[in-house]
């Protein structure tokens, strides 16, 4: 059975030839980047915050040192991704790591300032983080993905899906 992720679908929708080269001919250029490294680290930090927020208490979540967690996660992800890189090639320079970390601090400051407006424990429970999403699209083709954070309202049984995005293109109020 074929499995297609959102990123694979996006590549195919933009350029079927690029998809063919990457996923059928297996000529995909490997490795991550400072962007994927940072995005992974930021996801880990915010998901941990929300796991503590909903699973333990808001007070405990607010006591977490998110900035240190981000730094440690970026370092760990750097090590993991660097192992996949060709000899002599860096996934990121020291300057890029510093720049992204400082940007991350600003994002976390904003997150901490607005978390009361964004998240409520009243009636909501955490279903999970990085929840697998597997939907049949057609016979023998499934869409695979992950939900960053999934919340469920205890009374209405409605679900709230959170998809964290980091971006180098700027931000809007959403």
């Amino acid at each position: 059975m074929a499995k297609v992720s959102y990123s694979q679908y996006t590549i195919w929708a933009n350029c079927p030839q690029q998809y063919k080269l990457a996923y059928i001919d297996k000529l995909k250029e490997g490795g991550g980047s400072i962007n994927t490294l940072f995005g992974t680290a930021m996801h880990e930090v915010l998901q941990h915050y929300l796991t503590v927020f909903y699973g333990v208490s808001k007070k405990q979540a607010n006591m977490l040192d998110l900035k240190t967690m981000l730094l440690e996660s970026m370092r760990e992800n750097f090590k993991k991704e660097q192992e996949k890189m060709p000899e002599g090639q860096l996934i990121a320079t020291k300057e890029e790591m510093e720049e992204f970390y400082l940007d991350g601090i600003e994002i976390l400051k904003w997150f901490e300032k607005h978390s009361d407006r964004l998240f409520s424990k009243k009636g909501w429970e955490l279903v999970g983080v990085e929840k697998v999403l597997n939907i049949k699209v057609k016979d023998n083709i499934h869409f695979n993905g992950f939900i960053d954070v999934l919340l469920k309202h205890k009374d209405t049984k409605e679900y709230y899906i959170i998809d964290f995005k980091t971006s180098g293109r700027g931000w809007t109020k959403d």
Side-chain angles (χ1 to χ4, degrees), residues 50-61 121:
L50 291 173
T51 299
V52 174
F53 180 88
Y54 287 101
V56 181
S57 71
K58 177 181 176 179
K59 181 179 178 180
Q60 285 293 115
K121 290 184 75 165

Side-chain angles (χ1 to χ4, degrees), residues 144-162:
N144 270 3
F146 293 91
I147 299 173
D148 292 339
V149 178
L150 183 61
L151 303 173
K152 182 179 179 182
H153 197 276
K154 295 173 188 171
D155 297 330
T156 66
K157 309 297 184 214
E158 291 179 305
Y159 287 90
Y160 187 62
I161 297 171
I162 299 172

Side-chain angles (χ1 to χ4, degrees), residues 49-105:
Y49 173 90
L50 291 173
T51 299
V52 174
F53 180 88
Y54 287 101
V56 181
S57 71
K58 177 181 176 179
K59 181 179 178 180
Q60 285 293 115
N62 288 335
M63 290 173 59
L64 294 170
D65 184 352
L66 301 182
K67 294 171 189 86
T68 300
M69 289 172 59
L70 177 63
L71 182 60
E72 290 171 0
S73 183
M74 285 180 69
R75 285 178 176 159
E76 284 301 311
N77 283 297
F78 176 88
K79 288 176 191 171
K80 280 187 231 173
E81 291 299 320
Q82 190 58 46
E83 289 175 3
K84 300 174 191 175
M85 298 300 286
E87 183 79 26
Q89 187 176 339
L90 284 175
I91 187 162
T93 65
K94 180 181 177 188
E95 292 76 21
E96 287 173 320
M97 290 288 285
E98 289 173 354
E99 177 185 350
F100 274 72
Y101 175 67
L102 293 174
D103 287 346
I105 288 174

